[in-house]
Each structure stands twice: as C-alpha cells, then as structure tokens.
Amino acid sequence: MSRRQFLYGSAALAGSSVLGLSGCGKTAKSPAVGLAPALPFYDAYQPLVPIRVHTDRIFRITVCLRPFRAQGPRMEAEKIGDKTVVYNYGHGGSGWSLSWGCADVVTKMAMEAAQGAREIAVIGAGALGLTAATILQRAGAKVTVYAKERAPYTRSSRATGSWTPSSRIALSSAMGPDFATKWESMARTSFAYYQSFLGTPGAPIEWTDRYSLWDEERKPGERRASSVPQIHDFAHLDDRIADLVPKQEVMPPGSTPFPTKYVARTSSMSFNVAGYSRQLTSDILLAGGTFVDREFHSPQDFASLPEKVIVVCTGYGSRALFNDDSIVPVRGQIAWLIPQEGAQYGLNYNGLNMLARRDGIVMQYSKGGEDEGWNDTNEAPDRAYAEQGINVLAELYSRMQAKMKP
C-alpha cells in the first residue's frame, strides 16, 4: 500500500490544512519492497482520518488528580460507630479499568456486613461509585448514592478512556505478596463485564486500533524509555492478563504512511466516558436507585445516614475525608479537541498519547514519564503545555508530509 493511498483514503488531499497538501500533490514514491514479509490482506493497514491539530479546536482542558496509593487500592471493611464502612478508593490511573472487578469485591463485603438488610449507601458518583452501586443492585440491595458531584463534574469524567488496569496501581516495592493475584482477578472480572457493553446504543465501550510510533532501537513490546530518569517503581502487571488482548504487532517497513522507523499496532478498549457515565446513571435509576446531593467532611458525618452499611468510593477526595496521607496525587492533564467523524483510534508518539473518541479527541502529553505530576495538587489547566502536546502531533504530520515528497 502506498503512502499516497493512505492520504487519499483519509481525505487528507482534499484541502487538508493539517498536512498542507492539495489534490494536485506530487506522486509519492512507492515504498521499497522485499524489506519485510508482506502483511496478509486481512491484516493490511487501513486508512485513518487525520486529526485536525489546530489549537483553536480545543474545547476544554481538564486536570485530574489520580488517587495513588503505593500499596494499591484500599478495599476493606471497618466499623465506625454503628456503621460498617467498606472502603473502595486509591486506584491511581486504573479507576475505570478496574471498576467492575473492584465493585464485585466490595459488594461481597457490603452484603455480608448488611446481614440481610437491603439498604446500602454508596458515597461518590465517579467510576467506582457508579459500578459499585450497579453491582450492589444486582446483588439485591436497595442503593442510595450520595455525592457532591456527578458526571461530567467528577474527576473520573476527565479520564483518558483507555483500558489501563495497571496504570499507577501500586509500587512494586510496596505492594503485598498477594496483591498481583488479587489485581489479576479484578482485572479479569472487569474485562468480562465490559464485553457486555459492546454493540449497545451509543457505543459506550468499543475496541479501537492503537499505533505506537518510535525511532529509537528497542525490542517489540518493550516500554519506551523516558528522557527523564524515573524515580518510582510503578508496578506493571499486564503480562498476567496478556491473553485478554491482541499482541502488539510491529508493522513491516513501508506498510504504513508513518515516518518513524518503527510502527506497532494493537487493539484496545476505549471508554466513551460521557455516554458511558450517563448510561450507568440511568441504569441505577431504572433499577430503583436514588441519587442524593451530599457533601461529607469527616467520617463522623456518616452517623446521619439511615443506612448501616456504607461503601465509600470517594477517589482523591478520600485523602481529606479520612485524613489519609497514603493517597498521593498524580496530576494528569488532557486537552480535548472537537471529535471528528470516523476518527476512532489512538496514537502514541514522542510523549503524546492521542485517543480519538466519539466524545472528544484526547490529547495527553507527558514529557516526564510516569513520574510526571507526582504529588502535584494543582488542578489549574496549563494551556501552554496543552498546546505543546498538540504541536507534537503537528510535527508528526510534518514528517509524514516530508516523507511523501519524491
């Protein structure tokens, strides 16, 4: 497949301001043949819609403080006065991805503590709160969700929307000996639940292709080394569930229009968080659940609730609510570009993670690797940094344009 074929298929030659080409562009050179085995026809590269990377297409910039705990999420039950409090917080960058598996764990704790009572409270209406409420209802509970904020104002609503079940989930040096096994169980449970959303109206969950682009030498599947030395030994456990997702495939040279020395492709789950959150909320209401606007300042405030069992899913807010210094904020920022018809795929290039979703094009730039944002409580958007990330994709397109010239 020629590079020009990619651009025609992407409609990029029809006056694209991104690549700066016209319909009368010069004929591209054909890629060299014989350098690598050809892909089977069913595996050939398919043309992608190029992203219109203009900074004036930013419609919002969001900042999320990931609630990281070195030992992993807090998931346990504790008596506070006459209440049983079931904790479900501290999931780092894996909240959405692990939510169903975590909900399954805390539901069993809560139903056991309820001793036959049906009324159970859930505090928090983010990823963990909505899924916990849903699984509790399926277990027979009558659920009331108490929350200060609901989507789209929760921190969970600012997530990248990728299946990343081990993203900043724990430190290898701090997690317990059985943590990896428990994590695997929760990840597999979550994965199975997510498959039940495929093909439903609004496409809340879907599989999309992802491309990793790089120039430096490294082995297939090896993590890209950050230009900044990394301090924290974040646990990477994805090898334990490698059978769930397609393996990353390094594409033969010349088989894609990308200008980097290496191009790898895989497929992964995407969460269209806006529609997905609304669906979860609607499902809870249809099942008889109730939402109550309420803010809690300390565990003593739980005494006023009528429910005897309370599942706490307060994310980063748990740090202040429980005076829990084990929670460390890890700041992450996303610039959101206007969605484009037909653009549902992801690119990872030079520190930029771009994911084109139906509810917006996520542009998450990170020059500092996984350590970036560590213990940073600043939630103010940084417009200049957002534009740097967008310019990274513009630079990639410039390289593609240069490669097209004879």
Side-chain angles (χ1 to χ4, degrees), residues 46-68:
Q46 297 298 312
L48 302 173
V49 173
I51 304 304
R52 296 165 64 184
V53 283
H54 302 290
T55 56
D56 60 2
R57 292 180 65 81
I58 298 174
F59 67 89
R60 64 175 174 168
I61 300 173
T62 59
V63 176
C64 179
L65 302 183
R66 307 176 186 93
F68 175 77

Side-chain angles (χ1 to χ4, degrees), residues 287-298:
T290 305
F291 285 82
V292 175
D293 295 335
R294 180 76 180 270
E295 184 175 3
F296 298 88
H297 300 283
S298 74

Side-chain angles (χ1 to χ4, degrees), residues 285-333:
L285 291 170
L286 288 171
T290 305
F291 285 82
V292 175
D293 295 335
R294 180 76 180 270
E295 184 175 3
F296 298 88
H297 300 283
S298 74
Q300 285 68 44
D301 293 345
F302 299 162
S304 63
L305 297 180
E307 297 85 0
K308 297 297 184 182
V309 178
I310 304 166
V311 180
V312 178
C313 307
T314 43
Y316 180 68
S318 306
R319 179 181 170 93
L321 180 59
F322 298 105
N323 195 26
D324 188 348
D325 291 335
S326 72
I327 296 179
V328 178
V330 182
R331 184 184 191 275
Q333 175 175 284

Side-chain angles (χ1 to χ4, degrees), residues 100 172 203 212 230 328 384 397 406:
W100 292 107
S172 296
S212 294
Q230 300 297 283
V328 178
Y397 285 159

Side-chain angles (χ1 to χ4, degrees), residues 278-293:
R278 288 188 179 90
Q279 179 169 334
L280 292 178
T281 300
S282 297
D283 289 348
I284 292 168
L285 291 170
L286 288 171
T290 305
F291 285 82
V292 175
D293 295 335

